[in-house]
Amino acid sequence: MAAHERVRTGLPRLSADRSTDVTASSGHPHPTDALEPFEQVEQHEQLDPAALIRLAQELESEELARSIAGTYLRMLDARLARADSALARRDEVAAMDVLLSLRVSSATVGLVGLEAAVLHVIDAVHRGEPDLACERGGSMLGLADRARCALRSHLERPGLSSIS
């Protein structure tokens, strides 16, 4: 299953060397935990350009799909700041609220790399590892700049979709 299909169906991502999802909570260290979250995210595509095309087709409006992506970009810094603050306060409820929203919206606009980073943070929160969640949150913040640039670049292209 392609990365964008996992995002669209809501199925968790599987890493190449792991047979459990990133939200599994077995209490045992995961094989990919030895890698920094940023390195784990590097294994995924940064942007799935087909996501906005699918969104435009579903909405029957390229303009609306572009508007949703623009709104996502305008809200991204505030969402990241809320996530960072909640993680620093160790407020799991507030952190999960913003992280889940960020995960879904990132998938919607095709930022699969950022979505994967968010999943790593969610995994740490679920496992009750606040220090790891904060560390992974910092990696997520670093990845956001590249994700933002990738989406902006994609939006600058004419003819996002072929709506009939």
Side-chain angles (χ1 to χ4, degrees):
M1 182 180 298
H4 67 275
E5 289 173 278
R6 283 191 298 276
V7 171
R8 298 266 305 135
T9 62
L11 293 176
R13 297 183 186 285
L14 297 176
S15 67
D17 62 344
R18 214 165 109 185
S19 62
T20 58
D21 66 60
V22 295
T23 58
S25 181
S26 66
H28 301 290
H30 296 292
T32 57
D33 282 350
L35 298 174
E36 293 295 317
F38 188 77
E39 293 172 318
Q40 293 173 15
V41 170
E42 289 292 308
Q43 297 171 6
H44 300 288
E45 296 176 39
Q46 185 64 239
L47 174 72
D48 172 14
L52 282 178
I53 294 169
R54 285 189 305 272
L55 181 62
Q57 290 170 340
E58 289 172 12
L59 298 172
E60 298 181 358
S61 171
E62 181 177 326
E63 183 179 327
L64 186 52
R66 286 179 180 275
S67 175
I68 289 169
T71 299
Y72 171 91
L73 288 170
R74 283 189 301 280
M75 295 176 63
L76 183 57
D77 286 335
R79 282 180 169 170
L80 292 169
R82 283 188 11 236
D84 189 51
S85 174
L87 291 169
R89 292 188 326 267
R90 300 184 191 288
D91 183 341
E92 290 182 22
V93 173
M96 290 303 289
D97 179 57
V98 68
L99 290 169
L100 291 170
S101 173
L102 186 57
R103 177 193 178 258
V104 170
S105 59
S106 296
T108 299
V109 299
L111 291 176
V112 293
L114 184 55
E115 186 221 1
V118 173
L119 280 170
H120 287 292
V121 180
I122 289 170
D123 180 49
V125 172
H126 274 174
R127 291 193 291 159
E129 299 180 23
D131 292 334
L132 182 60
C134 285
E135 180 183 321
R136 288 180 173 183
S139 295
M140 177 182 71
L141 292 173
L143 184 62
D145 287 335
R146 290 189 317 157
R148 183 183 295 109
C149 290
L151 183 55
R152 281 186 181 142
S153 175
H154 184 65
L155 289 172
E156 289 173 359
R157 298 179 189 156
L160 184 64
S161 66
S162 55
I163 299 175
S164 17

